[in-house]
Amino acid sequence: MFVGFNIGGSSTGVAFGPAVGSQVLGKLAAAGLMTTFALLGGWTIGREVVAKMGGEIVPQSEFTLLATVAVLFFVGLALLVSNTFGVPASTSMTAVGAIAGLGLARGSLNSDVMLEIISWWIVAPVIAFWICAVLGRYVYPYLDAWLQLDQTPGALVTLDRSSMIPRIRLGPNTTLREFGSTVLVVLVACYMAFSAGASNVANAVAPLVGNGALEMNTGILLAGGAIGLGAFTIARRTLDTVGNDLTELPILAALIVETVSASLISFLSAIGIPASLAVSATMCIVGLGWGRATRTVTIGDALGGEAPQVSVNALTVEREDEVPKMGEEAPDELSAHDLFDPGTTGRVIFFWMLTPSLSAIASYALFSSRFF
């Protein structure tokens, strides 16, 4: 319950921060949608992740209640590391590391399954980066010019009570394009919540399901309820933080990042791979910024040149009738040097590798001790 509670608090901000920050949704509505779609994700494709983490990495017999408490402790520790260092550490990767440490200590680790999981951990962020890099370089300016995700003053919709049956109508300043883009924002947020539930439900209950203490359905309901509790309570603060931080980030950029990362995590969950939504989303942000910044240079120069810090302008394009052609300077005077900060990116990647490694080492030491 504690693990699920913290997952709900953090994942709600990631999924619905753009929608709440742009005042498309209120916090209460965001919490309700997060609970619903996270439970739906866990109930459908999330079962594959629960099964893999609860009985394929190590045999189910290894998950005694004492061992289960220890594994869940390391998941909670990952949340602590993430908050302390300001790096989006992966609870999924840390949980797998703890389970792997248990298997190594007992000599029961399924090396084939671990190799498959680790391979996807390496490949998935690379895929996320290049998909968003291509979108940022070749597609983003045209989407920005076409969608125009700006909000006009006044209510989005109004309730017309002039007849016997009240009707919902567009607000006085609302255009069809604005209404459609607002619906798109909400749908993408719900999709993000679905993928978060599919990936993260296993972090809370996989060991308990694996040792038979909980049935699969009961475990998913328990985890979904805990995620919902976090969404309605501590997520209010994370929604404020993420929503305010994203006010400087164009809403279109946030939607692209969420769609690509959620699609990737949903795919991995469907094949039973526990993966990090935070890692994929971060690599999407880096890739999108890199792609936008390199529109003014050739691919060879972009790959071979230096890469200073990315600016918010790298994700922004002026809405003019003519989108700047490839190789031309954008209206915001974007230069070829506005890529990404390799030092910051390296620090984030370092912690992604560090947290599951420390989890595995500590778990191995614990389960090798005389107490177990």
Side-chain angles (χ1 to χ4, degrees), residues 43-67:
W43 189 266
T44 52
I45 61 179
R47 295 171 180 270
E48 300 297 328
V49 186
V50 175
K52 180 152 291 187
M53 291 182 64
E56 295 186 26
I57 299 176
V58 297
Q60 294 181 345
S61 58
E62 297 287 4
F63 287 114
T64 64
L65 287 178
L66 190 59

Side-chain angles (χ1 to χ4, degrees), residues 18 28 33 38 53 120 136 170 189 193 215 221 232 271 284 295 318 324 327:
L28 189 63
L33 290 172
M53 291 182 64
W120 276 111
L170 296 181
E215 294 182 353
L221 289 174
F232 277 100
I271 62 175
C284 284
R295 279 186 59 82
E318 296 291 339

Side-chain angles (χ1 to χ4, degrees), residues 161-213:
R161 302 178 182 272
S162 60
S163 59
M164 291 287 294
I165 301 177
R167 298 180 179 180
I168 298 178
R169 299 186 182 278
L170 296 181
N173 298 315
T174 304
T175 64
L176 285 174
R177 176 176 290 184
E178 179 188 357
F179 179 77
S181 65
T182 302
V183 172
L184 178 63
V185 169
V186 175
L187 290 177
V188 170
C190 292
Y191 182 38
M192 191 79 163
F194 175 88
S195 68
S199 177
N200 288 318
V201 159
N203 295 327
V205 296
L208 289 168
V209 173
N211 68 17

Side-chain angles (χ1 to χ4, degrees), residues 38-346:
L39 180 58
L40 180 62
W43 189 266
T44 52
I45 61 179
R47 295 171 180 270
E48 300 297 328
V49 186
V50 175
K52 180 152 291 187
M53 291 182 64
E56 295 186 26
I57 299 176
V58 297
Q60 294 181 345
S61 58
E62 297 287 4
F63 287 114
T64 64
L65 287 178
L66 190 59
T68 298
V69 171
V71 168
L72 292 177
F73 166 77
F74 288 113
V75 180
L77 185 63
L79 296 173
L80 177 62
V81 171
S82 175
N83 292 330
T84 301
F85 291 95
V87 176
S90 168
T91 52
S92 296
M93 295 168 70
T94 306
V96 171
I99 295 172
L102 166 63
L104 284 171
R106 301 288 177 80
S108 58
L109 179 66
N110 189 328
S111 57
D112 291 338
V113 172
M114 273 305 302
L115 181 61
E116 179 188 13
I117 292 173
I118 293 174
S119 298
W120 276 111
W121 284 356
I122 297 172
V123 171
V126 176
I127 294 175
F129 174 89
W130 281 110
I131 288 176
C132 284
V134 171
L135 290 175
R137 181 175 172 86
Y138 298 105
V139 181
Y140 183 93
Y142 300 96
L143 286 177
D144 187 69
W146 180 67
L147 289 176
Q148 297 184 10
L149 298 179
D150 288 333
Q151 289 183 292
T152 55
L156 181 70
V157 294
T158 59
L159 190 62
D160 184 2
R161 302 178 182 272
S162 60
S163 59
M164 291 287 294
I165 301 177
R167 298 180 179 180
I168 298 178
R169 299 186 182 278
L170 296 181
N173 298 315
T174 304
T175 64
L176 285 174
R177 176 176 290 184
E178 179 188 357
F179 179 77
S181 65
T182 302
V183 172
L184 178 63
V185 169
V186 175
L187 290 177
V188 170
C190 292
Y191 182 38
M192 191 79 163
F194 175 88
S195 68
S199 177
N200 288 318
V201 159
N203 295 327
V205 296
L208 289 168
V209 173
N211 68 17
L214 291 176
E215 294 182 353
M216 177 71 78
N217 291 347
T218 305
I220 292 174
L221 289 174
L222 177 66
I227 290 174
L229 181 63
F232 277 100
T233 52
I234 59 173
R236 290 179 171 270
R237 180 167 295 180
T238 60
L239 282 168
D240 278 334
T241 301
V242 176
N244 291 334
D245 288 343
L246 286 176
T247 54
E248 297 181 359
L249 187 69
I251 192 69
L252 176 60
L255 290 177
I256 292 175
V257 167
E258 290 187 342
T259 302
V260 174
S261 58
S263 298
L264 187 58
I265 295 302
S266 295
F267 165 73
L268 293 177
S269 298
I271 62 175
I273 302 296
S276 172
L277 185 63
V279 169
S280 296
T282 303
M283 292 308 295
C284 284
I285 293 172
V286 174
L288 190 63
W290 185 87
R292 283 290 301 122
T294 57
R295 279 186 59 82
T296 58
V297 296
T298 65
I299 286 292
D301 291 337
L303 293 176
E306 296 182 356
Q309 184 177 3
V310 68
S311 65
V312 175
N313 288 338
L315 298 176
T316 309
V317 64
E318 296 291 339
R319 294 191 181 99
E320 296 183 349
D321 294 335
E322 293 284 339
V323 174
K325 296 180 180 180
M326 198 68 63
E328 294 181 355
E329 293 288 336
D332 52 17
E333 297 182 354
L334 178 69
S335 70
H337 298 288
D338 292 325
L339 302 177
F340 61 93
D341 185 353
T344 301
T345 304

